[in-house]
Amino acid sequence: MRVRGQLIRFALVGVVNTGSYCACYLVLLIWLPYVAAHVVAFVLSMIGSFFLNSYFTYRTRPTWRKFLLFPLTNAANFTITTCGVYLLVDVLEFSSTYAPLIAAAAAIPITFVVSRTIMLRPDEPDPPAPEKATAGRRSGGGPDRAKFS
C-alpha cells in the first residue's frame, strides 16, 4: 500500500513538474533564445521536482547526496522515452503524434524505481566516535563528562 501511494504521488509530481517546466519555458522565452529557455526551465523544474519528491512523494529529508544523484532519474526517463518513441514509431509503426505519450507512460514505473532507490537509500552513517580513555573517570562511576562537552 505504501509503494502504491508513493507511485501515485510520484505521478502527480510529474504532472506538476511538467506544468512548471512549460510555464517557466514560456516565460523565459520572452527574454532568452529557445534553447537557453529550455535548459533553464528544465533545471528549475528538476530542482522543484527533487524537493517535491523529497517532501511529498517519499517524505524524506533532502540531502546533497540525493540532490546530486537525482538527475539520474531524468537520464533514465530520457533514455526510456527516447528508445520507446523509436520502437513505437520506427518498429511498430505507431503514430509519431501519440508515441511520446505512450513512451512517457511506460517510463513512469522504471523512473519511479530509480527515483525511489535514490531518495530512500539511507544516508551514510556517521563514523563511530573514537573511544575516550576511562582513566579520568570519577571513582563514583558517574558519566565521563568529557564525552558530553
Side-chain angles (χ1 to χ4, degrees), residues 46-47 50-51 63-71 118-119:
M46 187 169 54
I47 291 169
F50 169 74
F51 286 106
T63 64
W64 279 108
R65 184 180 109 352
K66 292 173 186 175
F67 182 76
L68 295 173
L69 290 173
F70 192 74
I118 289 169
M119 300 302 282

Side-chain angles (χ1 to χ4, degrees), residues 24-45:
C24 286
Y25 175 75
L26 292 173
V27 168
L28 291 168
L29 201 52
I30 296 169
W31 298 286
L32 299 173
Y34 75 92
V35 172
H38 163 72
V39 170
V40 172
F42 185 85
V43 169
L44 290 174
S45 66

Side-chain angles (χ1 to χ4, degrees), residues 61-133:
R61 181 177 58 91
T63 64
W64 279 108
R65 184 180 109 352
K66 292 173 186 175
F67 182 76
L68 295 173
L69 290 173
F70 192 74
L72 292 175
T73 63
N74 290 57
N77 187 297
F78 177 78
T79 302
I80 294 161
T81 56
T82 302
C83 291
V85 168
Y86 170 77
L87 177 71
L88 289 167
V89 174
D90 284 356
V91 176
L92 300 175
E93 299 180 1
F94 274 65
S95 165
S96 60
T97 303
Y98 301 108
L101 297 173
I102 297 167
I108 290 172
I110 298 164
T111 306
F112 171 72
V113 169
V114 173
S115 172
R116 192 170 195 273
T117 301
I118 289 169
M119 300 302 282
L120 294 181
R121 182 175 174 190
D123 292 324
E124 298 299 321
D126 292 332
E131 294 288 327
K132 299 255 184 193

